[in-house]
Amino acid sequence: MRDPECVFCKIVAGEIPSASVLDRDNVYAFLDLNPVRQGHALVIPKSHYPTLLDLDPGLAADLLRAQQDVARAVMLATGADGVNLGLNLGEAAGQVVFHAHYHIIPRFHEDGLRLWPQTPYPSQDEMNRLAGEIRARLG
Ligand code: 5GP
Ligand code: ZN
């Protein structure tokens, strides 16, 4: 499955060059062209699925295994103390390329990067109400 307009499908096909770090039957990983930090890698299914929600569970498991392996290798190669794994799902969340992909971003102690600004709930009741709304939609 491939989308002729998709930049990541073109990367998988070798039509656009990429700095490859992992190449498996159904999963590919390469360095992001505009990294948050050097070594920032992208892990993608070779087939075209627009978002995480379109992946079947077997492929999602293969992607997770690849993330573990790439995260470990990125940390060893860059000397990073940790990594952030991230996935933008939808335009509002910052997804620009609609071919599902995980970001693996090397992190260092005191690197000054703040990815998740957080705010507490106004009340415990509001937090519990929203948890109930989400539970109800999980069946
Ligand atoms: P998104 O915002 O969709 O989660 O992230 C897309 C990512 O793909 C961005 O971080 C961007 O730098 C990267 N990217 C876009 N086009 C290319 C490309 O042609 N080659 C590589 N290596 N990365 C790309
Ligand atoms: Zn694609």
Side-chain angles (χ1 to χ4, degrees):
M1 203 173 12
R2 141 162 215 195
D3 175 343
E5 303 301 318
C6 170
V7 64
F8 287 178
C9 283
K10 289 179 184 170
I11 283 176
V12 169
E15 293 162 16
I16 293 176
S18 63
S20 164
V21 298
L22 176 140
D23 191 348
R24 291 185 177 154
D25 281 353
N26 52 3
V27 176
Y28 187 65
F30 55 103
L31 295 187
D32 194 302
L33 209 54
N34 288 304
V36 175
R37 290 288 186 275
Q38 290 187 12
H40 176 169
L42 301 173
V43 179
I44 68 173
K46 284 188 171 175
S47 296
H48 183 84
Y49 297 93
T51 79
L52 174 72
L53 302 184
D54 303 307
L55 296 177
D56 72 70
L59 182 53
D62 289 345
L63 271 179
L64 180 57
R65 202 166 303 119
Q67 284 175 71
Q68 291 176 313
D69 294 339
V70 172
R72 200 176 291 114
V74 164
M75 288 174 69
L76 288 170
T78 62
D81 303 305
V83 296
N84 284 115
L85 296 183
L87 180 141
N88 299 327
L89 201 173
E91 202 178 324
Q95 185 171 7
V96 173
V97 177
F98 277 78
H99 178 132
H101 55 279
Y102 281 95
H103 295 258
I104 296 181
I105 300 169
R107 297 300 305 272
F108 300 84
H109 292 302
E110 317 300 334
D111 66 10
L113 201 59
R114 188 128 194 268
L115 296 179
W116 303 105
Q118 288 172 281
T119 312
Y121 282 89
S123 68
Q124 188 70 45
D125 279 354
E126 177 56 19
M127 187 178 182
N128 291 340
R129 185 198 64 74
L130 189 53
E133 297 283 343
I134 295 168
R135 267 198 313 277
R137 286 160 179 82
L138 284 165

